[in-house]
């Protein structure tokens, strides 16, 4: 199973509030997306973002 920081953050928010009534629609950026795009560019792999 592949996990990401985003999935972890969503899980944490749901554990605190199952209806997400307090969720402010913002999630801390961990840099994973920036890293993925950089790797894709370096390896010349088409990557939709």
């Amino acid at each position: 199973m592949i996990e990401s920081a985003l999935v972890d953050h969503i899980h944490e928010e749901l554990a605190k509030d199952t209806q997400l009534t307090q969720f402010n629609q913002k999630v801390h950026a961990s840099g994973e997306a920036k890293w993925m795009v950089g790797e894709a560019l370096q390896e010349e792999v088409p990557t939709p973002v």
Side-chain angles (χ1 to χ4, degrees):
M1 179 160 106
I2 299 173
E3 289 191 33
S4 71
L6 179 58
V7 172
D8 289 341
H9 292 304
I10 292 169
H11 177 60
E12 289 169 9
E13 291 298 324
L14 282 169
K16 288 189 250 177
D17 177 9
T18 59
Q19 297 299 311
L20 295 178
T21 58
Q22 302 298 313
F23 184 59
N24 67 5
Q25 299 180 5
K26 294 181 182 177
V27 177
H28 173 72
S30 65
E32 287 181 57
K34 187 176 181 180
W35 167 81
M36 180 197 66
V37 171
E39 290 294 313
L41 287 169
Q42 183 176 339
E43 298 297 324
E44 298 180 359
V45 176
T47 307
V49 292

